[in-house]
Amino acid sequence: MGPMSTSSLDPAVAARLKRSADGLVPAIAQQYDTGEVLMLGWMDDEALHRTLTTGRCTYWSRSRQEYWVKGDTSGHYQHVKSVALDCDADTVLVKVDQVGAACHTGARTCFDADVLLSDAD
Amino acid sequence: MGPMSTSSLDPAVAARLKRSADGLVPAIAQQYDTGEVLMLGWMDDEALHRTLTTGRCTYWSRSRQEYWVKGDTSGHYQHVKSVALDCDADTVLVKVDQVGAACHTGARTCFDADVLLSDAD
């Protein structure tokens, strides 16, 4: 498996999904109750299929070139609550219940540490 | 101007920004008070610079190949409240105050219309 290969994703969804040249779409993970944006990962058709059907958010790791069930190593799973495509079908929003820290640094979200601007009016 | 060209972005930020092959990073726009994820756009260095310095969220339009101040056509500006990079410096999160609808369809967010899965346990 891997980007651009055959997947079990619902053909109706696959038909409207607009992938980048590398066969991937960005996937935003958001904590379902607090609204925190936790991280952004990448999905191919099969990662989206697994996210929709296994209840655990699954990405395609561009660095490792393999599927990556968030939490399989760290225990910090993302339990899937809802999944939506955007109006162009080129981005996925997954609302999840994040176990522990979303970021590999131990921070709650991947956007906590490198703030460029805050409290602008 | 355009992706990969010279920008006025702070050199310290430019040095750690990790761009895709096309010179862009995904930028998530989130309503600062409700937490709604509004849309995902793309930024090059100059779009990020303009977002940080003008107070209005500015993207690089991949389809039109030009800078795009969200709201210049529709009036639906995104007033910038905060900007952060993620832990890998390859994604931007912009918290904004969205005027009107974020989506060109008139929906409040770009993720309202195409729900693939909801209310999973």
Side-chain angles (χ1 to χ4, degrees):
Chain A
M1 301 300 292
M4 311 299 286
S5 62
T6 304
S7 159
S8 303
L9 182 66
D10 178 346
V13 175
R16 63 182 185 277
L17 198 64
K18 292 193 184 68
R19 306 158 196 83
S20 300
D22 56 6
L24 302 174
V25 294
I28 302 162
Q30 180 182 32
Q31 176 65 28
Y32 80 105
D33 50 0
T34 65
E36 294 162 291
V37 174
L38 299 168
M39 57 172 283
L40 182 138
W42 298 85
M43 291 183 183
D44 67 349
D45 289 39
E46 179 65 18
L48 177 55
H49 173 69
R50 295 183 190 184
T51 296
L52 287 165
T53 55
T54 67
R56 291 179 178 178
C57 205
T58 305
Y59 303 96
W60 175 258
S61 170
R62 297 184 301 175
S63 55
R64 296 194 305 272
Q65 292 284 301
E66 63 182 18
Y67 292 105
W68 165 43
V69 178
K70 173 74 177 170
D72 262 358
T73 303
S74 62
H76 295 171
Y77 288 102
Q78 293 177 333
H79 297 288
V80 175
K81 295 288 187 176
S82 68
V83 181
L85 299 181
D86 76 345
C87 53
D88 297 323
D90 62 8
T91 302
V92 178
L93 177 63
V94 188
K95 294 189 182 180
V96 303
D97 193 8
Q98 171 72 55
V99 177
C103 187
H104 71 285
T105 64
R108 171 66 182 168
T109 93
C110 291
F111 297 96
D112 292 351
D114 197 349
V115 177
L116 302 181
L117 176 73
S118 62
D119 298 321
D121 289 324
Chain B
M1 301 301 291
M4 310 300 286
S5 62
T6 304
S7 158
S8 303
L9 181 65
D10 178 345
V13 175
R16 63 181 185 277
L17 198 64
K18 292 193 185 70
R19 307 158 196 81
S20 299
D22 56 6
L24 303 174
V25 294
I28 304 162
Q30 180 182 31
Q31 176 66 26
Y32 81 106
D33 51 0
T34 65
E36 293 162 289
V37 174
L38 299 168
M39 56 172 284
L40 183 138
W42 297 86
M43 293 184 183
D44 67 348
D45 287 41
E46 180 64 18
L48 177 56
H49 173 68
R50 294 182 189 184
T51 296
L52 286 165
T53 56
T54 67
R56 289 180 179 177
C57 205
T58 306
Y59 303 96
W60 175 259
S61 169
R62 296 184 300 177
S63 56
R64 298 194 304 272
Q65 292 284 302
E66 62 182 19
Y67 293 105
W68 165 44
V69 178
K70 173 74 180 171
D72 262 359
T73 303
S74 62
H76 294 172
Y77 288 102
Q78 295 177 332
H79 297 289
V80 175
K81 294 289 188 177
S82 68
V83 181
L85 300 181
D86 76 344
C87 54
D88 298 323
D90 63 6
T91 302
V92 178
L93 176 63
V94 188
K95 293 188 182 181
V96 304
D97 193 10
Q98 171 72 57
V99 176
C103 188
H104 71 285
T105 63
R108 171 66 182 168
T109 92
C110 292
F111 297 96
D112 292 352
D114 197 350
V115 176
L116 303 181
L117 175 73
S118 62
D119 297 321
D121 289 322

